[in-house]
Amino acid sequence: MEPPSSLVIHRALDGLSARYAALAENIANANSPGYRPVRVTFEESLRAAAREGPDAVRAVTPRIEHQPVPAFGSEMRLDLELASAAETANRYAALIELLGRQMQISRTVIRGGQ
């Protein structure tokens, strides 16, 4: 059985991966006329599911939403998209490190503390 924190981390990694893909799509289409940027949300539903238990956490999927085309100007803020991509990459790396530490603790326990 998977520890609850590992399950939450795995779901968060799934959400961050989906967000990173959406950001890459946004950046690639930054100059496309009429392109509607994509946003991925999952944090609130994951937070609520974590309070409900492992089955609720397993059921969480990232929500993908197309944003409306801006009323004024057609240019997407590429600088904001790049900043979001950097933030997403940092969060992903932090969760990978946390997952690695959990695995290291599990290995230590299995080896009898050695």
Side-chain angles (χ1 to χ4, degrees), residues 22-38:
L23 288 165
E25 181 180 327
N26 291 345
I27 291 166
N29 289 293
N31 292 326
S32 299
Y35 176 74
R36 294 173 46 195
V38 179

Side-chain angles (χ1 to χ4, degrees), residues 9-20:
I9 291 170
H10 281 100
R11 283 295 177 227
L13 288 170
D14 290 344
L16 290 171
S17 180
R19 179 175 291 152
Y20 203 73

Side-chain angles (χ1 to χ4, degrees), residues 44-114:
E44 288 300 319
S45 57
L46 184 57
R47 192 174 293 119
R51 289 189 289 266
E52 294 176 24
D55 290 335
V57 172
R58 283 186 195 92
V60 171
T61 56
R63 197 163 100 207
I64 300 169
E65 303 170 343
H66 287 274
Q67 301 297 300
V69 177
F72 298 104
S74 60
E75 292 185 23
M76 184 178 10
R77 292 282 312 267
L78 191 55
D79 59 335
L80 296 178
E81 295 298 316
L82 290 170
S84 292
E87 179 184 356
T88 299
N90 286 335
R91 287 182 181 188
Y92 196 93
L95 287 174
I96 291 293
E97 183 176 334
L98 183 60
L99 193 58
R101 289 180 185 194
Q102 283 185 339
M103 293 172 92
Q104 186 177 21
I105 290 169
S106 294
R107 281 193 301 272
T108 301
V109 169
I110 289 169
R111 292 181 184 151
Q114 298 177 3

